[in-house]
Amino acid sequence: MKVCFTAKGATIDSASEERFGRAPYFIIVDIDSGAIESVENPYIEGAGGVGPKAAQLLISRDVRALVSGQVGGNAREALVAAGIEIFTFRGGSVGDALEQFRKNALQRSG
Amino acid sequence: MKIAVASGKGGTGKSMVAANLAYTLSLAEPVTLVDCDVEEPNLHLFFPGPGESSEVTIPVPGFDTVACDLCGRCGEFCRFGAITVLRDRVLLFPELCHSCGGCMLVCPKGAITESPVRIGTVTVSSPIPGMTLVTGLLDTGSPLAVPVIGAAKARAATHPLVLYDSSPGTACPMITTLDGSDCCLLVTESTPFGLHDLELAADVVHGMEIPAGVVINRSDGTDQATLDFCAEHDLEVMMTVPFDREFAVIQNRGGLLCRERPEWQERFRALYAGCRRLAGVSP
Amino acid sequence: MKRLAVISGKGGTGKTMVTAALAHLLQGHLVIADCDVDAANLALLLNPRPLWTKPFFGMQAAAIDPDLCLGCGACETNCRFEAIRPDGGIFRVDTLHCEGCAVCRLVCPAEAVNMQPRQTGMICYSETDRGHLVHARLVPGAGNSGLLVSAVKKTALENDPKSDLLLIDGPPGTGCPLISTISGVDLVLVVTEPSISGLHDLERVVAVCRQFRPGVLVAINRFDLSPTIARMIHLWCRDQQIPLIGEIPFDPKVIETVRQGVPITRAVDSPALGAVQEMAVRLEEHLDSCASVTG
């Protein structure tokens, strides 16, 4: 199963990013195989509708869960409709978030 | 002849000028007054009366779930983020849709058709002899003022003498209102706020190449900064209305200065003559 | 951080005067945002010292390369915004009308259309005696001020995340900029005036607020100019269960201070100031009792 973490940088050591639609990077981890893919957010400078667009990016990469700080209304609607679970994480690195996710210690959002 | 009444700042007396000008003109010839301040139209409060309403709609896409193979091109194309393609269906965010029609063009399966969604109304009434009032009204909660303004203006397109009352500001609603006007009256007040916003509005009419004049409302006699600005920018000050508590009271209860103080009609007739001069129409 | 927006429905009711006074009267660490980006006047009363400015880019706009354009007119036929104009056998884009949808690029057989960034405003970040101020200047005639409003709010929240209160001077109207302003705020204060237009616009703007989250409060400015209509506003608020937290009298000191470029809090013996001070106390109570947004 693939999980997406919003990040300020491209690596697993990067600080996690609170925003979803305007996160600089999406770090997508395959929990089963451990494979990590880092995707630069093409919509970061977008003028509008970035939330649904970022959601589309996750959907097309078959992501099943998102770990982020805050997710806006439209993005949330798209993610929920796509069956992607949303978890809240603030502060710390993506690595920390991943560890907490594996321990099932993150709070489900919404 | 199409005259737009606009201002950068809100509450400077745009509607007062439009209402009194239209009232005065209606005594001599047929005039159409179009309330383009569709977010907060007020002219119907000065000219009440029954009217006929029609809906303003915009087209938004619908998706044929049988024909659609979820290829995702519509979502990729839409620059407004209004379409998200899920694994089993397409999700539309109608409030993000600009009705550009691009998704329909890009769909290889012909699976998208548009259907109308209501965003507001246009009401046409004849509140007093000689006057047609067209009021655009944006539905509360809808963000899309521009199509409603366009629809309201379209109802008066063939009328010979039309006044447009713009919404305040200098963004798309004001531009849409001013489009196609022969001249524009910029209403301001003698405060630093009024002047600051007049400067912005003057920039817009200049850019659109619409001849413009200025009306100073609620003047307390200290208008030098405004007069200097107008002189520097070749803007004629067409009328100055003094601050008078009684005028405010008349206006506040929905009264018309030109009806309650008929001596003002002459001033507004002169304002109209000034508009014709601005627009280059022979008097 | 709590978020308060001062709005009005109708323009020119005294919203900016009230916001500037509240900046000086409300307690705690503030960050202030002027979201009336079409006509940003708050800076004229808060004596800001600019720290930095940055350009704001709205939706991209189309541009047609005249060397590649075949003059077929497919762009003009398909553009729904009347933003394509014939120009000597070829076509060009009227940027003022372009919404940036890129349909023209889609249909152009000659790949003559490019989408280009378009600067539609400037965001300014300044220091004032009462905290940082974010205001913007929309390029006159540039479209979509709602996007710029969102950017102004975001700039305030991101640069001053530790503030106790985001104080917003909102735009008039009920459309896109207003909706962008009130989304995510805890409380709105509607400053109205005792005129039939003011009441009408108050009813409409409250209807919009009710579709979103915030709590609504009302204040009447220059209430004594039309006591009858002020009374009607009273009754309406009571009927709607909206707290009426202030009635500000007509006071020439208001214009005087605006001319001096200072908030009404600097006036002496001002009846309007007295009323605004009382209002600020009530407002503080409402702010205390509303739950703050997290994040």
Side-chain angles (χ1 to χ4, degrees), chain B residues 5-31:
Chain B
V5 185
S7 74
K9 182 176 182 319
T12 56
K14 239 180 320 81
S15 299
M16 184 280 284
V17 171
N20 281 287
L21 185 55
Y23 172 76
T24 304
L25 293 176
S26 75
L27 302 173
E29 59 186 307
V31 60

Side-chain angles (χ1 to χ4, degrees), chain B residues 131-144:
Chain B
M131 181 187 292
T132 305
L133 175 63
V134 182
T135 302
L137 182 66
L138 182 68
D139 284 344
T140 52
S142 170
L144 295 168

